[in-house]
Amino acid sequence: FNRVVELIQGAFGYYHVQIFLLEKDAHQLIMGAGSGSENIQHRLIELGTSSLNSVAAQTGKIQLVSDVRESTNFLFDNQLTETRSELVVPLRVGDRIIGTLDVHASRINAFTKEDSLVIQSLGDQIVVAIENARLYDQSKDIAVLEERNRLARELHDSVTQSLYSLVLFTEGWK
C-alpha cells in the first residue's frame, strides 16, 4: 500500500494520498497507508462519523469536494493543513465495500470528472491486488489444511494397520 500511495501522489502531483480498509466488525475504517507524513491525525475513522471516507464507505459512491472549507463532511487533519480539495473513491469487490482511496489536492477545484474516472480505475486495480493477496493467503491456508488431513489419514491408517498386525500376531501366538 505504501508504494501504491507514493506512486499515485508522485505521478499525479497530489498533495496527499491514503488508503483506508474497512473493518466491518468494528464499524471503522483503518488507514492502510498514507503518503508523506507519518503522523496523520485520523488513522482510524468510525463509520457513521461526519467524514468523506465514512460516507463513501457507507454509500458506495464517490465523494468529490471542490472546496473542503464548504463541506460539512470534510475531516480536518492537523498534519494535512494544505488540503483544499478531496476525492474519495470506495474500493469495491462486487457489491461489497472493502475500503476507500482518498486523494487530497492543495488547490480548490483540483479534480475533474476525468480525475474521478482515473482514480476509480486505480482503485479498481488496488482492489484486484487486495483480492489476489487474500486469495493467495487463503490458498496457502487450504494447502496447509489439506497436508494436515493427509498426514492424519496416513497416521490413522498406519496405527490401524499396526494394531491389526498386533491382533493377528496375538491370535497366532495363542
Side-chain angles (χ1 to χ4, degrees):
F1 288 147
N2 290 324
R3 181 81 174 123
V4 169
V5 295
E6 296 294 337
L7 283 171
I8 293 171
Q9 180 188 31
F12 296 99
Y14 294 131
Y15 171 59
H16 184 74
V17 178
Q18 41 194 9
I19 295 174
F20 286 92
L21 297 175
L22 180 62
E23 181 62 46
K24 243 186 178 147
D25 296 336
H27 302 292
Q28 50 192 210
L29 291 163
I30 299 170
M31 181 185 285
S35 62
S37 177
E38 299 272 327
N39 301 317
I40 300 298
Q41 184 179 349
H42 302 288
R43 299 186 74 72
L44 187 130
I45 300 172
E46 297 289 331
L47 290 181
T49 60
S50 178
S51 80
L52 296 170
N53 282 283
S54 178
V55 172
Q58 290 180 309
T59 65
K61 295 181 181 175
I62 293 174
Q63 301 298 302
L64 171 60
V65 175
S66 297
D67 186 351
V68 296
R69 293 174 292 186
E70 296 177 1
S71 173
T72 57
N73 287 329
F74 174 67
L75 191 59
F76 181 78
D77 193 308
N78 292 325
Q79 297 298 316
L80 302 173
T81 58
E82 300 296 316
T83 299
R84 297 294 175 262
S85 299
E86 188 172 3
L87 172 63
V88 180
V89 174
L91 300 176
R92 178 190 326 263
V93 175
D95 292 337
R96 186 172 51 100
I97 303 293
I98 64 168
T100 59
L101 174 57
D102 184 5
V103 181
H104 296 236
S106 57
R107 61 184 174 82
I108 295 173
N109 295 316
F111 302 108
T112 64
K113 287 188 179 190
E114 290 79 20
D115 291 323
S116 294
L117 291 173
V118 169
I119 297 301
Q120 179 66 61
S121 294
L122 291 170
D124 292 343
Q125 295 302 312
I126 292 168
V127 167
V128 168
I130 292 170
E131 273 301 289
N132 283 345
R134 186 188 66 76
L135 291 172
Y136 176 75
D137 287 344
Q138 191 177 36
S139 70
K140 284 190 340 188
D141 292 345
I142 289 171
V144 167
L145 185 61
E146 286 177 351
E147 180 64 12
R148 284 182 187 157
N149 287 339
R150 184 188 67 77
L151 290 171
R153 278 192 308 274
E154 285 182 11
L155 181 60
H156 176 266
D157 292 348
S158 166
V159 168
T160 302
Q161 201 171 32
S162 295
L163 287 174
Y164 184 69
S165 295
L166 283 173
V167 168
L168 283 178
F169 283 129
T170 305
E171 294 288 325
W173 287 334
K174 285 184 184 176

